[in-house]
Amino acid sequence: MSPQERRAEEPAGEIALLAAALAARLDRRRRRGTRRRPEASRPEGAGDPGAEGARPDGNGRKRAENAQETPENGQEQADFDTEAIRGRAAACPDLETLRSEVAACRACGLCETRTQTVFMDGPERARVMFVGEAPGADEDRRGVPFVGRAGQLLTDIITKGMGLERSSVVIANVLKCRPPSNRDPSRREKELCTPWLERQIELVDPEILIPLGRHASGHLLGSEASMGAMRARVHDLAGRRVVPTYHPAFLLRSPERKRDCWQDIQLAMAELDLGGDR
Ligand code: SF4
């Protein structure tokens, strides 16, 4: 009989073994970050950016009360750092490899509540790349960005407004996993996910980036400015043109802003020599 087995036969030894096992388990959980149970059943579409409750800030998402950094939204996933993710992203030679890496990513707490990662929609190379903030409930379920009502409006902008096939442009988000309850992503979650997006942009190599909404636009441009201050202009991002516009979910709630969006899209089209007004 091993010393361990002998100890387990004695009541005090058994308690000591249980305590050691519990301590090891707690340590593992602390290092992984706090686990969350999958969300309880939530009304259909509650996390959709176009759902009731989105605020008129030029963005598609509802501002949630729990948007500050808490263990529940990944702050304690301390085993990961942005540079390590950047290294893994940089090592991906193509989008399929990058997609697989993202699908396996557990860098922030959103991995605990996602159904699946939402990587992108579109071809491997495109002249235009739209970037939203994060997947909603429909996207999380289907694994495709911009589906549902806001997605349909974006499709109309692309097909009826720009005269392009949706399948000819790339659509992605800053975050690849859905924040629960449609809350705003935390700063840390965006930091951790950004290297994936940066590599994605490098590989797609679009001529024009069109960030949708204030959060995606501000994140890409490193700006705290309002949507009104960022839109209607062509920005430069490391030699790449960026034309921010409103999020389609915001346009569903504020249709009077569609005219502004159309101006931004025309600006992008002019930059691409697809017609449109500068
Ligand atoms: S949101 Fe981004 S960083 Fe967080 S787990 Fe998903 S892919 Fe990884």
Side-chain angles (χ1 to χ4, degrees):
M1 182 182 290
S2 71
Q4 214 174 20
E5 287 166 334
R6 244 192 324 273
R7 282 174 62 200
E9 290 222 326
E10 301 161 12
E14 191 173 359
I15 290 168
L17 282 177
L18 283 172
L22 181 61
R25 188 171 170 198
L26 286 173
D27 187 52
R28 275 199 305 278
R29 291 187 68 171
R30 182 181 55 76
R31 287 204 264 150
R32 273 205 313 266
T34 304
R35 281 187 173 274
R36 292 192 77 197
R37 277 177 301 161
E39 291 166 79
S41 57
R42 176 175 296 146
E44 224 25 41
D48 188 290
E52 210 49 38
R55 290 175 59 164
D57 59 356
N59 197 53
R61 305 188 73 79
K62 180 169 69 176
R63 188 170 309 287
E65 293 69 30
N66 63 340
Q68 74 270 22
E69 290 168 356
T70 68
E72 290 179 347
N73 62 21
Q75 179 66 7
E76 283 197 1
Q77 302 287 110
D79 290 350
F80 297 92
D81 68 70
T82 316
E83 284 314 306
I85 298 172
R86 183 162 285 115
R88 279 165 52 192
C92 293
D94 52 49
L95 285 165
E96 270 323 294
T97 314
L98 189 67
R99 185 193 291 270
S100 303
E101 283 281 346
V102 168
C105 178
R106 304 190 67 79
C108 79
L110 297 183
C111 68
E112 303 288 354
T113 49
R114 72 189 178 206
T115 302
Q116 57 194 313
T117 52
V118 181
F119 186 61
M120 66 177 235
D121 193 21
E124 294 199 345
R125 296 290 284 263
R127 298 185 71 195
V128 185
M129 181 169 176
F130 291 89
V131 180
E133 185 186 16
D138 291 334
E139 289 80 11
D140 174 70
R141 195 162 43 241
R142 293 178 50 184
V144 179
F146 282 90
V147 292
R149 287 179 65 220
Q152 183 55 53
L153 180 53
L154 180 60
T155 303
D156 288 347
I157 290 169
I158 295 164
T159 56
K160 298 176 185 166
M162 303 178 82
L164 300 172
E165 296 291 322
R166 175 168 161 141
S167 58
S168 71
V169 306
V170 163
I171 304 169
N173 284 304
V174 174
L175 256 73
K176 310 305 184 201
C177 302
R178 178 196 176 211
S181 308
N182 200 30
R183 66 161 168 78
D184 287 346
S186 72
R187 182 180 53 79
R188 181 69 176 147
E189 287 161 353
K190 287 192 275 194
E191 268 174 21
L192 287 165
C193 215
T194 293
W196 299 131
L197 175 67
E198 288 173 346
R199 183 65 180 142
Q200 195 172 26
I201 292 171
E202 275 175 17
L203 290 166
V204 173
D205 195 20
E207 290 172 46
I208 292 229
L209 280 167
I210 305 181
L212 300 166
R214 185 169 66 79
H215 289 299
S217 303
H219 185 70
L220 277 182
L221 297 172
S223 170
E224 298 283 325
S226 68
M227 192 65 230
M230 284 187 282
R231 60 161 294 274
R233 289 170 50 195
V234 181
H235 302 256
D236 179 88
L237 180 67
R240 208 178 298 278
R241 287 167 286 178
V242 181
V243 181
T245 194
Y246 292 107
H247 194 287
F250 172 72
L251 295 175
L252 288 173
R253 294 176 56 79
S254 306
E256 72 278 6
R257 297 293 182 143
K258 284 184 179 174
R259 181 190 292 267
D260 291 341
C261 175
W262 177 232
Q263 283 175 355
D264 299 334
I265 293 301
Q266 284 199 311
L267 185 58
M269 288 168 65
E271 289 291 318
L272 291 163
D273 289 325
L274 291 174
D277 299 329
R278 282 181 201 270

